C-alpha cells in the first residue's frame, strides 16, 4: 500500500475549504454520493493537483447473509476507475436482511450494524469479501465499525475476527480508532488488546473522528471534535506500526476551516508521538538484547499475519517490539493457493435468520431476540430512526422546508411503524405519501406543497392486481385529487 499521508473526508459542504487547506495529501469521498459521469469540480481539481481520492462505500453490505449485489459492486468499481483510485474501502457490517434466503420481508437498516463475531459470520464474510475482490479493479480495504449493541454467544474478539478475515482473504484493513473507542465505552472492549491482536501489516489507513457520550452510551456522530481518548488510541497504534495514511472524518455540524486545520494538526502530533514511543521501545529492546535484531520477510518472525498477507503485500522489517513498517510491492503476484471450499448454504441461512430477527426488532417492533440487551436495542432503534430522518432530509431537502420544525418528530414517528424497504429516496416518497394519506396535515399551505412535491416525484403507478395493491391505488387517487 502506498504512503497516503494526512487526509480529510471530502464532503460537498466543505469542498472549497478542503481545496484551500495546507498539507492535505489525500481525500476520501462517500462512493454512493459520487456520480462517475459527473464528478464534482472540486474533486477534479484535487485530482489535477495530484491529490489521491479514495471512494468509501457504505451500502454494499459485506456482512449481509446474502452475497454482495453485482450491481452495487459494479457501481463501486466504476467509481474507483473514474477517480483513478489506488483502492476502495467498505465496512464490516450488515445493512439489510430478509428476502428469499429467509422467506421473510426484505428490510433495510439504513445504517451499519455489527456482524456477530462467530465462525458462521466469519465464513460468510470471507466469501463475500472474496466475491468483492474478484469484481473490483483495485484492492479492497474493510473497516471495523462502531457498535451500540453486542451479539450474544460471540466466539472471537474483534482483533481475532479481523486477524482471521485478513489472513484468509488477503483483504486490507481500514482501522477506525474512533470506533475502537466507541466499542470500549459501549461494549467494554479494550482498545489496546484489539490493537495487539490486529494484523498491523494489513492496515491500509486509519480513520479518526469525534462523537459524544449520553447516558453512558458513546455515539459515533462524526459531528463533534476528536476527543483525547481517540487520539490516545491513535498514538498507541502509531507506536506499533507506521500507518500508511490517517484521515479525519467529519460528516455534519462543520466548524470553521481553521478548526478543521487545527484538528488535523492535532492528529499529526498524535501520530508523531506514537512514532517516538515506538522508536524508544526499539532502542530499549535493542539495548536489552545487546543490539541483536531480527529481520523477517514474508512469514518471518513476528509477522502477526498469515502467509498470504505477508507474501502477497510485500516485505517488512521488525526490530524488537517497536514500530513496524509495511512496504508494499503492488505489482507482486499473490502466491498460488488452493481455492477455498464452497460455503455451505445452510451457514448463510443461519446467519440470515439471526440478522433478520435482529433487524426486524430494531425497525419493525417485533420481539427482541433472546440474549440481547433490551435497553441497548432501544437505543439502537432510536438511533436508526434518527439516522433515517437525517439522511432523508439530505436527499429530499424540500421536506424539512415544507414541514418546518415538525419534520423530524413526524418522520421518527413514521419510521417506528414503517421499516425501510428501498433506498432513502423511496423512503422520502413513502413518508410523504403516508403523511398525506393519514391526514396528519390539515388543509393549508404545507399540505398543498407536500402534495405537489409527492406528485412531481411519484410518477404514474401501474395498476396493481392484489387487493392490498388496490387499497394503495385508492390512496394514491385520493392524494391526486
Amino acid at each position: 500500500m502506498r504512503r497516503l499521508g494526512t487526509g480529510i473526508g471530502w464532503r460537498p459542504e466543505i469542498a472549497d475549504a478542503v481545496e484551500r487547506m495546507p498539507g492535505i495529501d489525500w481525500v476520501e469521498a462517500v462512493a454512493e454520493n459520487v456520480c462517475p459521469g459527473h464528478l464534482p469540480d472540486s474533486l477534479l481539481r484535487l485530482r489535477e493537483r495530484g491529490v489521491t481520492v479514495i471512494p468509501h462505500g457504505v451500502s454494499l453490505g459485506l456482512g449481509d447473509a446474502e452475497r454482495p449485489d453485482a450491481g452495487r459492486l459494479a457501481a463501486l468499481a466504476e467509481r474507483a476507475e473514474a477517480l483513478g483510485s489506488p483502492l476502495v474501502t467498505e465496512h464490516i457490517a450488515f445493512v439489510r436482511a430478509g428476502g428469499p434466503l429467509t422467506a421473510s420481508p426484505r428490510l433495510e437498516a439504513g445504517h451499519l450494524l455489527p456482524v456477530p463475531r462467530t465462525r458462521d459470520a466469519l465464513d460468510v464474510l470471507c466469501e463475500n469479501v472474496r466475491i468483492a475482490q474478484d469484481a473490483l479493479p483495485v484492492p479492497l480495504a474493510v473497516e471495523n465499525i462502531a457498535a451500540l449493541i453486542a451479539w450474544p454467544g460471540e466466539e472471537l474478539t474483534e482483533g481475532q475476527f479481523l486477524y482471521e478475515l485478513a489472513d484468509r482473504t488477503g483483504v486490507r484493513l481500514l482501522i477506525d480508532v474512533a470506533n475502537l473507542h466507541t466499542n470500549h465505552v459501549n461494549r467494554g472492549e479494550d482498545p489496546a488488546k484489539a490493537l495487539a491482536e490486529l494484523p498491523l501489516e494489513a492496515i491500509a489507513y486509519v480513520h479518526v473522528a469525534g462523537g459524544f457520550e449520553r447516558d453512558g452510551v458513546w455515539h459515533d456522530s462524526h459531528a463533534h471534535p476528536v476527543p483525547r481518548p481517540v487520539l490516545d488510541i491513535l498514538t498507541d497504534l502509531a507506536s506499533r506500526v507506521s500507518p500508511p495514511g490517517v484521515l479525519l472524518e467529519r460528516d455534519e455540524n462543520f466548524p470553521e476551516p481553521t478548526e478543521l486545520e487545527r484538528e488535523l494538526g492535532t492528529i499529526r502530533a498524535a501520530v508523531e508521538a506514537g512514532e517516538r514511543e515506538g522508536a524508544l521501545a526499539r532502542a530499549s529492546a535493542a539495548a536489552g538484547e545487546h543490539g541483536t535484531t531480527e529481520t523477517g520477510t514474508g512469514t518471518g518472525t513476528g509477522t502477526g499475519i498469515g502467509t498470504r498477507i505477508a507474501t502477497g503485500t510485500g516485505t517488512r522489517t521488525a526490530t524488537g517490539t517497536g514500530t513496524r513498517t509495511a512496504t508494499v510491492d503492488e505489482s507482486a503476484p499473490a502466491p498460488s493457493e488452493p481455492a477455498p471450499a464452497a460455503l455451505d448454504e445452510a451457514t448463510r441461512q443461519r446467519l440470515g435468520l439471526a440478522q433478520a430477527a435482529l433487524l426486524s426488532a430494531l425497525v419493525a417492533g417485533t420481539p427482541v431476540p433472546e440474549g440481547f440487551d433490551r435497553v441497548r436495542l432501544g437505543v439502537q432503534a432510536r438511533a436508526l430512526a434518527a439516522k433515517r430522518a437525517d439522511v432523508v432530509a439530505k436527499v429530499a431537502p424540500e421536506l424539512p422546508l415544507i414541514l418546518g420544525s415538525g419534520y423530524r418528530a413526524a418522520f421518527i414517528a413514521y419510521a417506528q411503524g414503517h421499516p425501510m424497504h428501498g433506498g432513502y429516496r423511496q423512503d422520502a416518497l413513502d413518508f410523504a405519501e403516508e403523511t398525506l394519506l393519514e391526514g396528519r396535515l390539515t388543509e393549508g399551505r404545507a399540505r398543498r406543497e407536500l402534495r405537489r412535491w409527492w406528485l412531481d416525484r411519484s410518477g404514474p403507478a401501474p395498476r396493481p392486481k392484489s387487493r392490498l395493491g388496490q387499497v394503495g391505488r385508492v390512496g394514491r387517487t385520493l392524494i391526486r385529487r
Side-chain angles (χ1 to χ4, degrees):
M1 179 62 212
R2 72 171 70 173
R3 304 295 297 181
L4 292 169
T6 303
I8 190 169
W10 182 91
R11 303 293 184 265
E13 297 89 338
I14 57 172
D16 292 342
V18 168
E19 287 189 64
R20 294 192 299 267
M21 283 181 189
I24 295 298
D25 303 306
W26 63 291
V27 299
E28 180 190 78
V30 176
E32 289 80 357
N33 293 345
V34 175
C35 179
H38 303 279
L39 294 177
D41 290 341
S42 173
L43 285 181
L44 291 174
R45 287 191 293 268
L46 287 169
R47 286 184 60 218
E48 290 170 358
R49 283 166 38 191
V51 175
T52 300
V53 182
I54 294 178
H56 185 54
V58 297
S59 64
L60 189 55
L62 288 171
D64 293 355
E66 292 190 344
R67 292 170 177 81
D69 178 73
R72 293 180 188 276
L73 281 172
L76 191 55
E78 189 179 8
R79 283 151 177 78
E81 291 177 330
L83 292 166
S85 306
L87 79 161
V88 297
T89 58
E90 248 289 353
H91 297 82
I92 302 170
F94 85 96
V95 298
R96 60 188 65 85
L101 184 65
T102 57
S104 61
R106 184 176 295 280
L107 299 173
E108 294 273 347
H111 197 43
L112 306 167
L113 292 174
V115 299
R117 296 176 197 152
T118 61
R119 292 292 172 187
D120 274 0
L122 181 60
D123 289 344
V124 170
L125 178 62
C126 285
E127 186 170 87
N128 287 353
V129 164
R130 292 189 195 102
I131 292 170
Q133 288 171 316
D134 290 342
L136 294 169
V138 294
L140 170 68
V142 291
E143 178 183 354
N144 60 304
I145 73 163
L148 290 172
I149 57 177
W151 285 82
E154 292 191 314
E155 300 164 345
L156 301 164
T157 65
E158 181 162 38
Q160 292 167 342
F161 194 84
L162 294 175
Y163 180 102
E164 288 210 29
L165 173 64
D167 190 33
R168 290 167 57 177
T169 65
V171 75
R172 291 165 181 163
L173 299 178
L174 192 181
I175 298 301
D176 190 316
V177 292
N179 291 347
L180 292 178
H181 173 67
T182 301
N183 295 344
H184 169 64
V185 176
N186 295 346
R187 299 172 51 150
E189 297 174 356
D190 183 2
K193 183 174 186 290
L195 291 176
E197 294 174 337
L198 286 178
L200 298 176
E201 294 83 357
I203 293 179
Y205 61 88
V206 177
H207 270 176
V208 184
F212 66 94
E213 187 171 353
R214 178 186 295 154
D215 299 328
V217 176
W218 186 267
H219 297 266
D220 182 44
S221 67
H222 293 193
H224 295 79
V226 179
R228 173 49 55 184
V230 171
L231 293 169
D232 290 342
I233 298 172
L234 176 62
T235 296
D236 188 2
L237 184 150
S239 74
R240 301 166 187 264
V241 66
S242 180
V246 181
L247 180 130
L248 171 64
E249 284 190 295
R250 190 74 176 238
D251 292 338
E252 53 189 333
N253 191 28
F254 298 102
E256 291 298 316
T258 52
E259 177 60 22
L260 291 175
E261 292 173 18
R262 187 197 65 78
E263 281 206 288
L264 287 166
T266 303
I267 289 168
R268 291 188 188 97
V271 171
E272 291 168 0
E275 290 173 343
R276 287 194 299 271
E277 289 180 13
L280 289 173
R282 288 196 303 276
S284 176
E289 298 172 9
H290 305 288
T292 300
T293 63
E294 294 179 286
T295 299
T297 301
T299 57
T301 302
T303 136
I305 191 165
T307 305
R308 185 172 180 186
I309 287 288
T311 306
T313 60
T315 62
R316 61 156 192 84
T317 61
T319 54
T321 59
T323 304
R324 298 180 237 176
T325 300
T327 305
V328 177
D329 178 4
E330 297 187 354
S331 64
S336 176
E337 293 183 357
L343 183 64
D344 181 1
E345 201 65 18
T347 303
R348 288 188 178 275
Q349 190 172 50
R350 287 193 299 272
L351 179 63
L353 289 169
Q355 290 180 340
L358 173 60
L359 186 52
S360 181
L362 289 170
V363 303
T366 56
V368 174
E370 185 177 355
F372 282 95
D373 184 322
R374 293 176 180 272
V375 174
R376 192 56 65 84
L377 248 66
V379 174
Q380 180 71 82
R382 291 189 292 275
L384 289 177
K387 181 71 173 181
R388 278 175 69 185
D390 291 341
V391 178
V392 165
K394 288 183 178 180
V395 302
E398 303 86 355
L399 293 179
L401 293 176
I402 293 170
L403 299 177
S405 60
Y407 161 75
R408 188 174 179 82
F411 188 92
I412 291 177
Y414 157 81
Q416 290 173 346
H418 299 82
M420 186 166 65
H421 298 284
Y424 281 110
R425 286 179 174 79
Q426 185 60 49
D427 207 22
L429 284 170
D430 292 344
F431 164 66
E433 180 180 358
E434 181 71 15
T435 301
L436 291 166
L437 284 175
E438 292 297 316
R440 292 172 183 155
L441 288 176
T442 58
E443 288 297 334
R445 181 192 60 80
R447 181 176 178 84
R448 289 193 301 272
E449 290 185 5
L450 184 62
R451 177 177 173 275
R452 186 180 304 114
W453 181 89
W454 182 86
L455 289 173
D456 287 345
R457 290 160 179 79
S458 62
R463 182 169 180 167
K465 297 180 180 180
S466 69
R467 181 176 178 82
L468 181 62
Q470 290 173 0
V471 172
R473 181 166 175 262
V474 170
R476 290 180 174 83
T477 302
L478 290 173
I479 293 174
R480 293 177 188 276
R481 287 177 180 171

